[in-house]
C-alpha cells in the first residue's frame, strides 16, 4: 500500500479529464505533505486511470490528466 493511496483514490473519483490540486490540498487529502518521493510514487497513478501532468514548484500545484 502506497502512502499516496488516498490521493490516488481521490483523483480517480474526481473523474475530470484534467484538474489541478495545490500542494496544500494534496496534503489535506493524503494526510502527508508532498515531498521528493512523490516523483517515484506518481507512477502508481496509472493503475487508477490517471497520470501526473505538470508539477509547478512556483505555483505549488500538480496537474492530473485522465489516461485515454
Amino acid at each position: 500500500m502506497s502512502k499516496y493511496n488516498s490521493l490516488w483514490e481521490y483523483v480517480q473519483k474526481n473523474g475530470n479529464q484534467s484538474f489541478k490540486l495545490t500542494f496544500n490540498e494534496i496534503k489535506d487529502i493524503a494526510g502527508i505533505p508532498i515531498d521528493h518521493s512523490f516523483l517515484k510514487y506518481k507512477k502508481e497513478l496509472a493503475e487508477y486511470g490517471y497520470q501526473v501532468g505538470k508539477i509547478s514548484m512556483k505555483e505549488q500545484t500538480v496537474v492530473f490528466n485522465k489516461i485515454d
Side-chain angles (χ1 to χ4, degrees):
M1 183 170 143
S2 166
K3 65 182 186 177
Y4 289 107
N5 271 7
S6 55
L7 175 61
W8 305 153
E9 290 169 4
Y10 176 89
V11 169
Q12 184 181 42
K13 288 177 187 169
N14 181 286
N16 291 332
Q17 253 333 95
S18 181
F19 65 98
K20 186 186 295 187
L21 293 174
T22 66
F23 288 6
N24 282 335
E25 289 171 324
I26 290 171
K27 180 180 176 184
D28 290 344
I29 295 163
I32 54 171
I34 192 170
D35 60 18
H36 189 69
S37 72
F38 183 78
L39 298 174
K40 181 181 94 175
Y41 285 103
K42 71 178 186 171
K43 298 173 198 154
E44 300 171 343
L45 187 54
E47 298 172 27
Y48 294 85
Y50 280 82
Q51 63 187 6
V52 172
K54 182 179 180 186
I55 300 171
S56 172
M57 298 306 287
K58 182 179 178 185
E59 295 178 16
Q60 294 201 331
T61 59
V62 178
V63 173
F64 297 93
N65 299 309
K66 197 170 203 176
I67 300 170
D68 294 328

